[in-house]
Amino acid sequence: MTTWVRAWDEATGQERARAVFATTFGAAPDGVWSAPGRVNLIGEHTDYNGGLCLPVALAHRTYAALRRRDDDTARMVSGAEPTAVAERELAGVAPGTVGGWTAYVAGVAWALRARGLTVPGFDVAIDSCVPVGSGLSSSAALSCSVALALDAVGALAQDRAALAADCVRAENEIAGAPTGGMDQAAALRTVPGHALLLDCRDLTVRHVPFDPAAEGLALLVIDTRAEHALVDGQYAARRATCEEAAAALGVDTLRDLTDTPGDAERALATLADGTPEGEVRVRRVRHVLAEIARVQEFVALLEAGRLRDVGPLLDASHASLRDDYEVSCRELDVAVEAARAAGALGARMTGGGFGGSAIALVEADALTTVAAAVDAAFTAAGLRPPAFVV
Ligand code: GLA
């Protein structure tokens, strides 16, 4: 029996958030704003290296019902725990002062104010169908839904790129999550029917048509439900290695090594200094540089109407993340291999890794067969059952 995590339709999501708001605060909100979770098609661990990535928005969204207040207080409640109302004075919000999910909410107000914008106090009720802890960016869906709400009630008129940057700051500095920027851009800057080609060097975007159904295909998302400790530490460690390598090579970001042919090879040769640490640096940098090139190839195929041909790029991305970047895990490898064995055109882990989700590009009419095969492979491997999202 496979488990499918269905998205709420827009009306349901709005209604749920409104209901939590009304029950908690005894009034109607000024409005309800929402932002989606995401999966990344390709371009993993490239965002904090100034590289390219290609996320698509999920139908699963986080809804924020919000009403402005006349004072400096923020009251926050979540449909996941409707009896626990958190209350903060916004003036007291600073790095290290807020914990848990409310850091993503109060953090956005803090980041907007840090830019000199006037943000009022507020009451907010959150409800969400984005799976939490699945590498599908539930945190960015949360911070971005709140950013849209505060932008509207505060009449701030900020563009979405600026709001995405505020959400990154909120997550990095208030929630203490060193994320790179892909998730927030995916939540705020995608348009329907398109993947978002995000250039993390200058934060420009291009909307690339992505419509698997039109080609008889479907994108299966496999939430491994694997819980991993040390995630933050490992993510930060990968990021630090890349930044050290860039500094040693005299470039701002690893992306700069992709501008001139031959630079990448020379950089890898320089990093290979015969030490075990040098060997690790070579593998990490090799992943980043090859992954940026794969994004370019993937986009070229999409723009040529050749979605059916991207499978090998997905597979190569997974191998590189598993072997060179070392951010996969047993559950992700089992998911990817089982999907491929059941006929997927290609499959890879998506998101930060160490658990979370994988994606598989499958024939639309084979969706349930592939899901059942992955489910069976998890059982055979003694793993707890995964969940599926389309
Ligand atoms: C997490 C981070 C993103 C990105 C991915 C890896 O999802 O939040 O910024 O770095 O990992 O591509």
Side-chain angles (χ1 to χ4, degrees), residues 56 77 98 102 116 155 167 247 292:
V56 291
V77 68
V98 200
T102 58
C167 291
I292 292 171

Side-chain angles (χ1 to χ4, degrees), residues 266-288:
R266 272 191 293 279
L268 293 174
T270 307
L271 291 172
D273 60 3
T275 66
E277 299 76 36
E279 198 266 331
V280 170
R281 251 175 250 137
V282 166
R283 286 191 287 123
R284 304 293 190 254
V285 173
R286 187 163 62 199
H287 163 74
V288 172

Side-chain angles (χ1 to χ4, degrees), residues 38 40 43-48 179-184 235 351-352:
R38 62 99 188 93
N40 187 21
E44 218 65 84
H45 288 276
T46 53
D47 59 353
Y48 52 80
T179 68
M182 165 172 72
D183 309 340
Q184 299 76 9
Y235 183 91

Side-chain angles (χ1 to χ4, degrees), residues 126-203:
I126 303 291
D127 214 354
S128 178
C129 61
V130 183
V132 174
S134 304
L136 301 176
S137 243
S138 59
S139 48
L142 171 60
S143 60
C144 293
S145 64
V146 171
L148 289 172
L150 293 179
D151 182 65
V153 301
L156 305 179
Q158 297 300 299
D159 70 31
R160 291 199 166 210
L163 291 178
D166 291 323
C167 291
V168 174
R169 270 200 86 181
E171 296 195 29
N172 288 176
E173 297 179 48
I174 302 298
T179 68
M182 165 172 72
D183 309 340
Q184 299 76 9
L188 286 173
R189 302 179 73 191
T190 44
V191 298
H194 293 72
L196 185 80
L197 175 60
L198 174 68
D199 185 329
C200 300
R201 182 150 60 184
D202 55 12
L203 297 178

Side-chain angles (χ1 to χ4, degrees), residues 241-274:
T241 300
C242 291
E243 287 165 1
E244 283 156 23
L249 293 163
V251 289
D252 288 342
T253 65
L254 295 181
R255 168 69 177 286
D256 296 350
L257 301 168
T258 64
D259 292 334
T260 311
D263 276 3
E265 292 71 18
R266 272 191 293 279
L268 293 174
T270 307
L271 291 172
D273 60 3

Side-chain angles (χ1 to χ4, degrees), residues 248-332:
L249 293 163
V251 289
D252 288 342
T253 65
L254 295 181
R255 168 69 177 286
D256 296 350
L257 301 168
T258 64
D259 292 334
T260 311
D263 276 3
E265 292 71 18
R266 272 191 293 279
L268 293 174
T270 307
L271 291 172
D273 60 3
T275 66
E277 299 76 36
E279 198 266 331
V280 170
R281 251 175 250 137
V282 166
R283 286 191 287 123
R284 304 293 190 254
V285 173
R286 187 163 62 199
H287 163 74
V288 172
L289 299 179
E291 186 76 356
I292 292 171
R294 279 189 286 269
V295 177
Q296 288 163 329
E297 289 174 52
F298 196 112
V299 168
L301 287 172
L302 276 187
E303 290 185 332
R306 293 174 56 197
L307 176 58
R308 282 188 171 269
D309 294 333
V310 304
L313 290 172
L314 295 174
D315 295 347
S317 172
H318 187 78
S320 175
L321 288 157
R322 181 191 59 210
D323 302 335
D324 273 354
Y325 219 65
E326 296 182 281
V327 293
S328 189
C329 64
R330 180 149 171 268
E331 291 85 348
L332 286 167

